[in-house]
Amino acid sequence: MLAGQVIAVTGADQGYGRTISAVLARAGASVVLIGGNSETLAAAASGLELAGGTAIPIKADVGVPLDWLSAQNRILEIFGALHGIVHLADKRAHTNFTMLSENEWMELFNCNVKSSVAIAQIVRRRLPGTWLTLVGPHLDEAGLQAHPQRGALRGLVEHAHDEDLRVNLVLPSRASSGDEALDRPLADAVLALATPALRHLRGAVLEVPLPPVPKVRAPEAALR
């Protein structure tokens, strides 16, 4: 389905990034795994290669525009093209809204909003034909801080056509379970947006319902 496509996935060594990368690789794409931990990226890439896919790891902090630009240039050196980008803009707060510090808020903003704008800007300058799919803050995230982030990303996506950019946004109903079977609906939505059949679609905001994560049951022995 995606044979010949080169797709970069940020945050590819954990959470939704791992599941999305695996689904894209199985669909025939050459997947570039981008993240901050060299060891986990290499392990994820090796797993995809062993499963018959094509994957390479690149360490980069995509919250820093120069890091993203360096990664993008490296991809072009290796493959000669970059057809699409899946950017995980779904960092969650660890404290509630009332106790959220300025530093925590700025970290959320930088990881989710600033990075998305910077990637879109660099793509517009250098690779205007490349599509961008954002995975935004989860719909189950409590706290007022999640709403301005989603609002900013919606605004970016809905008006990206003004710059002739193809940008779409998917919003998962919950955080990643770490189980590919449970998280697969989100990866399938990303896969659908990556297919040539939907290359005309831009400005879409898709809310993706996911099955609940089963509660871990204590061993029967522990209950006695």
Side-chain angles (χ1 to χ4, degrees):
M1 189 183 299
L2 299 181
Q5 283 208 42
V6 179
I7 301 175
V9 181
T10 71
D13 54 344
Q14 58 186 336
Y16 286 127
R18 287 185 71 101
T19 299
I20 290 169
S21 298
V23 168
L24 295 176
R26 285 198 292 269
S30 297
V31 184
V32 182
L33 312 182
I34 298 178
N37 188 306
S38 298
E39 293 183 0
T40 55
L41 285 172
S46 295
L48 294 183
E49 291 275 346
L50 287 172
T54 300
I56 64 165
I58 295 181
K59 181 181 178 182
D61 179 356
V62 295
V64 179
L66 286 178
D67 255 27
W68 167 255
L69 182 58
S70 176
Q72 181 176 291
N73 289 339
R74 181 64 178 146
I75 294 167
L76 295 175
E77 289 173 4
I78 295 170
F79 292 104
L82 177 57
H83 300 95
I85 303 160
V86 180
H87 177 43
L88 277 290
D90 65 340
K91 183 176 180 61
R92 294 173 72 104
H94 297 295
T95 55
N96 63 37
F97 175 72
T98 305
M99 301 303 296
L100 192 70
S101 70
E102 181 181 356
N103 286 340
E104 289 175 301
W105 163 244
M106 290 308 301
E107 184 179 5
L108 287 173
F109 180 84
N110 288 336
C111 289
N112 296 341
V113 180
K114 177 185 172 184
S115 61
S116 299
V117 174
I119 291 173
Q121 184 181 45
I122 292 170
V123 166
R124 179 64 180 87
R125 287 174 179 168
R126 296 171 177 265
L127 295 170
T130 298
W131 55 261
L132 172 62
T133 295
L134 304 174
V135 178
H138 318 133
L139 294 171
D140 71 339
E141 183 174 356
L144 188 57
Q145 70 279 351
H147 296 284
Q149 295 176 75
R150 290 195 205 102
L153 293 176
R154 281 179 180 268
L156 172 66
V157 167
E158 291 172 353
H159 296 278
H161 63 87
D162 294 339
E163 293 289 343
D164 198 28
L165 283 166
R166 181 187 168 206
V167 187
N168 294 295
L169 172 65
V170 292
L171 297 171
S173 62
R174 57 159 171 77
S176 171
S177 67
D179 183 328
E180 183 175 332
L182 294 175
D183 293 348
R184 181 65 187 260
L186 178 72
D188 286 342
V190 172
L191 174 62
L193 291 170
T195 59
L198 292 184
R199 61 180 174 270
H200 61 283
L201 189 62
R202 62 181 66 195
V205 179
L206 308 178
E207 296 187 2
V208 183
L210 294 160
V213 180
K215 294 182 179 179
V216 178
R217 299 182 62 182
E220 290 185 3
L223 300 176
R224 294 173 182 172

PDB file of all heavy atoms in Angstrom, residues 13 55 93 153 178 215 224:
ATOM      1  N   ASP A  13      10.034   5.395  19.364  1.00  0.00           N
ATOM      2  CA  ASP A  13      10.551   4.302  20.198  1.00  0.00           C
ATOM      3  C   ASP A  13       9.670   4.026  21.411  1.00  0.00           C
ATOM      4  O   ASP A  13      10.047   3.252  22.287  1.00  0.00           O
ATOM      5  CB  ASP A  13      11.977   4.621  20.654  1.00  0.00           C
ATOM      6  CG  ASP A  13      12.095   5.973  21.349  1.00  0.00           C
ATOM      7  OD1 ASP A  13      11.164   6.789  21.219  1.00  0.00           O
ATOM      8  OD2 ASP A  13      13.120   6.212  22.014  1.00  0.00           O
ATOM      9  N   ALA A  55      13.654   0.144   8.100  1.00  0.00           N
ATOM     10  CA  ALA A  55      13.610   1.176   9.135  1.00  0.00           C
ATOM     11  C   ALA A  55      15.021   1.590   9.516  1.00  0.00           C
ATOM     12  O   ALA A  55      15.935   0.762   9.552  1.00  0.00           O
ATOM     13  CB  ALA A  55      12.867   0.657  10.371  1.00  0.00           C
ATOM     14  N   ALA A  93       0.619  16.243  30.762  1.00  0.00           N
ATOM     15  CA  ALA A  93       1.051  16.872  32.008  1.00  0.00           C
ATOM     16  C   ALA A  93       1.079  15.831  33.123  1.00  0.00           C
ATOM     17  O   ALA A  93       0.277  14.898  33.130  1.00  0.00           O
ATOM     18  CB  ALA A  93       0.107  18.004  32.376  1.00  0.00           C
ATOM     19  N   LEU A 153      -3.391  23.386  17.706  1.00  0.00           N
ATOM     20  CA  LEU A 153      -3.123  22.404  16.664  1.00  0.00           C
ATOM     21  C   LEU A 153      -4.268  22.356  15.647  1.00  0.00           C
ATOM     22  O   LEU A 153      -4.036  22.218  14.439  1.00  0.00           O
ATOM     23  CB  LEU A 153      -2.890  21.031  17.281  1.00  0.00           C
ATOM     24  CG  LEU A 153      -1.611  20.904  18.123  1.00  0.00           C
ATOM     25  CD1 LEU A 153      -1.537  19.525  18.761  1.00  0.00           C
ATOM     26  CD2 LEU A 153      -0.374  21.173  17.294  1.00  0.00           C
ATOM     27  N   GLY A 178       0.382   0.636  25.194  1.00  0.00           N
ATOM     28  CA  GLY A 178       1.574  -0.171  25.018  1.00  0.00           C
ATOM     29  C   GLY A 178       1.299  -1.493  24.349  1.00  0.00           C
ATOM     30  O   GLY A 178       2.223  -2.266  24.067  1.00  0.00           O
ATOM     31  N   LYS A 215      -8.124  -3.515  33.116  1.00  0.00           N
ATOM     32  CA  LYS A 215      -7.458  -3.348  34.395  1.00  0.00           C
ATOM     33  C   LYS A 215      -6.715  -4.631  34.734  1.00  0.00           C
ATOM     34  O   LYS A 215      -7.206  -5.730  34.512  1.00  0.00           O
ATOM     35  CB  LYS A 215      -8.479  -3.030  35.488  1.00  0.00           C
ATOM     36  CG  LYS A 215      -9.155  -1.680  35.293  1.00  0.00           C
ATOM     37  CD  LYS A 215     -10.128  -1.397  36.420  1.00  0.00           C
ATOM     38  CE  LYS A 215     -10.785  -0.035  36.239  1.00  0.00           C
ATOM     39  NZ  LYS A 215     -11.760   0.259  37.319  1.00  0.00           N
ATOM     40  N   ARG A 224      -6.057 -14.042  48.575  1.00  0.00           N
ATOM     41  CA  ARG A 224      -6.420 -14.959  49.657  1.00  0.00           C
ATOM     42  C   ARG A 224      -5.839 -14.449  50.984  1.00  0.00           C
ATOM     43  O   ARG A 224      -4.819 -13.823  51.008  1.00  0.00           O
ATOM     44  CB  ARG A 224      -5.913 -16.364  49.351  1.00  0.00           C
ATOM     45  CG  ARG A 224      -6.614 -16.979  48.138  1.00  0.00           C
ATOM     46  CD  ARG A 224      -5.970 -18.304  47.761  1.00  0.00           C
ATOM     47  NE  ARG A 224      -6.603 -18.854  46.571  1.00  0.00           N
ATOM     48  CZ  ARG A 224      -6.148 -19.922  45.913  1.00  0.00           C
ATOM     49  NH1 ARG A 224      -5.066 -20.553  46.356  1.00  0.00           N
ATOM     50  NH2 ARG A 224      -6.771 -20.367  44.846  1.00  0.00           N
TER      51      ARG A 224
END
